[in-house]
Amino acid sequence: MSGLFITRTSSRHLKLFHKLFSQTRTLSNSCQSDENIRRFISENTEVVEGRSLTPEIKLRLFTPDCRFWTERPELWPFEDPYWAIYWPGGQALSRFVLDHPEVCRGRTVLDLGSGCGASSIAAQLCGAAHVVANDIDTVAAVATHMNCELNGVESPVCVTDNLIGSDPDGFDLILLGDMFYDEALATSLHSWLDRCIQVHGTRVLIGDPGRAQFEGHNIRRLLQQMAQFELPDSVREENYGLTCSSVWCYNPEL
């Protein structure tokens, strides 16, 4: 496809995706009202259900029927729309949470790099006491609210500050999917997650389909695999043949 949207999750295509959007015109999201952003999302996404590892969750996503699947990238008015993709690591993480509700039930949960908000929705469905969705894109926060409404769950607290490197709050559980696509980011995450565990005893669950930056990073040897899921055919096609995605528990004592 020659337009705006690239859903490929290999390292090469993630870099291309980021480069493409870094060259586009972006607007200050703070100048846009939530109402306008909601309207834009409604007009340029499609409600998708049943084509992921979590068919019980409905999400507003980019599909081939959406205008910006093939539109010229310079017409896109916001930052990179990572929130419009249900990445395979996030799918595995949300599936694991739904299959093991005790992981979240009654706990305070941080969905880091929350994107479309699927993991936040899964945590809410499983009875989490309090959920914070953190994504530095303010449009992602609006998309998360809309997706929560689609699924009939209370919206999480949406935080758009970059929490990585900050003084960690006392969350019982941190969920993060598809965050190890860049080596520098992976290193920052490694250090910050260590602090969260040391200071608060936070449990950390990571979803990733086995990207090279993840498999080759030092954090990999400190992870215990909790589950592996075969990806649906449609997800495999969108992600250049990735066949499965796994959930890992971060254990610095390994």
Side-chain angles (χ1 to χ4, degrees):
M1 61 191 70
S2 59
L4 176 76
F5 187 55
I6 299 174
T7 59
R8 311 311 189 184
T9 54
S10 67
S11 172
R12 179 171 64 88
H13 283 84
L14 274 172
K15 290 178 180 179
L16 175 60
F17 183 58
H18 180 75
K19 181 179 180 181
L20 175 67
F21 278 97
S22 69
Q23 294 172 344
T24 67
R25 176 178 59 88
T26 59
L27 299 177
S28 171
N29 294 345
S30 62
C31 295
Q32 302 264 357
S33 69
D34 280 3
E35 181 180 351
N36 289 338
I37 294 174
R38 277 176 170 267
R39 184 181 305 111
F40 186 89
I41 292 173
S42 295
E43 293 174 351
N44 292 284
T45 59
E46 182 180 31
V47 175
V48 177
E49 58 180 320
R51 286 182 273 172
S52 70
L53 286 174
T54 57
E56 59 268 62
I57 293 180
K58 294 181 284 189
L59 299 168
R60 285 198 164 274
L61 303 172
F62 280 159
T63 74
D65 295 327
C66 298
R67 170 191 171 194
F68 280 99
W69 186 274
T70 55
E71 186 60 272
R72 301 198 316 274
E74 62 268 20
L75 297 180
W76 180 259
F78 300 113
E79 300 289 347
D80 311 19
Y82 293 112
W83 54 265
I85 310 163
Y86 195 10
W87 301 94
Q91 291 193 31
L93 191 60
S94 299
R95 181 71 269 158
F96 181 82
V97 167
L98 291 168
D99 288 346
H100 302 276
E102 69 280 1
V103 168
C104 290
R105 187 179 298 125
R107 302 185 184 279
T108 57
V109 179
L110 172 64
D111 181 8
L112 186 69
S114 50
C116 65
S119 293
S120 293
I121 292 168
Q124 295 278 33
L125 289 171
C126 292
H130 181 66
V131 180
V132 173
N134 175 226
D135 197 296
I136 59 174
D137 185 354
T138 57
V139 179
V142 177
T144 293
H145 286 307
M146 295 175 70
N147 287 330
C148 286
E149 292 166 4
L150 275 177
N151 292 276
V153 299
E154 181 181 352
S155 291
V157 175
C158 289
V159 176
T160 56
D161 295 329
N162 184 1
L163 296 184
I164 300 171
S166 67
D167 290 333
D169 288 333
F171 292 100
D172 297 317
L173 176 67
I174 295 177
L175 304 173
L176 61 150
D178 304 281
M179 293 284 284
F180 289 85
Y181 57 85
D182 176 84
E183 185 174 354
L185 175 60
T187 299
S188 296
L189 271 171
H190 188 179
S191 176
W192 186 72
L193 292 172
D194 272 347
R195 288 175 56 205
C196 292
I197 293 171
Q198 292 169 7
V199 174
H200 297 293
T202 303
R203 188 181 188 190
V204 177
L205 294 178
I206 298 170
D208 195 272
R211 295 191 183 90
Q213 295 89 337
F214 175 73
E215 294 294 337
H217 197 275
N218 287 337
I219 197 174
R220 177 65 180 76
R221 61 185 174 82
L222 303 175
L223 302 179
Q224 176 184 0
Q225 189 175 44
M226 306 298 291
Q228 180 173 288
F229 300 96
E230 295 293 321
L231 295 171
D233 289 342
S234 60
V235 179
R236 295 186 187 196
E237 291 171 4
E238 292 173 354
N239 291 278
Y240 272 125
L242 289 174
T243 60
C244 60
S245 188
S246 297
V247 175
W248 307 81
C249 183
Y250 184 21
N251 185 354
E253 296 181 359
L254 286 177

